[in-house]
Amino acid sequence: MINSAARTTLLFADRFPFRYLAEDYGLTYYAAFSGCSAETEASFETIVFLSGKVDELGLTTVLTIEGSNSKIAGTIVAAGSENVQILSVDSMQSTTSSDVENGTSYLAIMADNLDVLTQALN
């Protein structure tokens, strides 16, 4: 998938618990917060920087993680190019034992994440 992708950059308008994934697959990434930061408000400078990256790189997708209110992503999209979608990647940080009992599986979550990443990189 990566070798045939139109893009190799991910932009997260959120925390970024996927650094190792990005590095393992040679992806460039930008994020509002490093790692699993507890911060919830991005600075004005961060929003402007990320919005500029969307335009500069011709990105069509801004990513968030599961459970995000997507407020930062919405601001980034509103400040930049048109036709940019907001999609969510599941870090499994909020998966509960009840979710697992109801059929949620690691494999299913990763398959959904693959679909999201495929959209983001094409």
Side-chain angles (χ1 to χ4, degrees):
M1 177 189 89
I2 301 298
N3 294 337
S4 63
R7 295 171 187 77
T8 57
T9 301
L10 300 173
L11 191 138
F12 274 79
D14 215 324
R15 295 168 294 163
F16 186 65
F18 299 101
R19 187 177 124 222
Y20 295 114
L21 173 92
E23 289 178 358
D24 285 351
Y25 290 96
L27 299 171
T28 303
Y29 61 89
Y30 298 95
F33 310 108
S34 62
C36 296
S37 170
E39 294 180 71
T40 58
E41 294 297 324
S43 70
F44 176 77
E45 292 80 13
T46 297
I47 298 291
V48 169
F49 174 79
L50 293 175
S51 178
K53 284 297 177 186
V54 170
D55 291 339
E56 174 189 333
L57 299 171
L59 301 178
T60 59
T61 305
V62 171
L63 298 167
T64 63
I65 61 171
E66 83 287 347
S68 171
N69 66 14
S70 299
K71 200 166 125 181
I72 296 169
T75 302
I76 290 168
V77 169
S81 300
E82 294 181 15
N83 300 319
V84 176
Q85 63 184 339
I86 299 170
L87 298 176
S88 180
V89 180
D90 193 338
S91 67
M92 297 184 67
Q93 292 178 6
S94 61
T95 302
T96 66
S97 57
S98 177
D99 293 333
V100 174
E101 289 171 8
N102 290 321
T104 298
S105 71
Y106 177 82
L107 186 57
I109 290 171
M110 292 303 114
D112 289 345
N113 283 346
L114 178 59
D115 289 342
V116 170
L117 293 173
T118 299
Q119 289 180 63
L121 295 173
N122 287 313

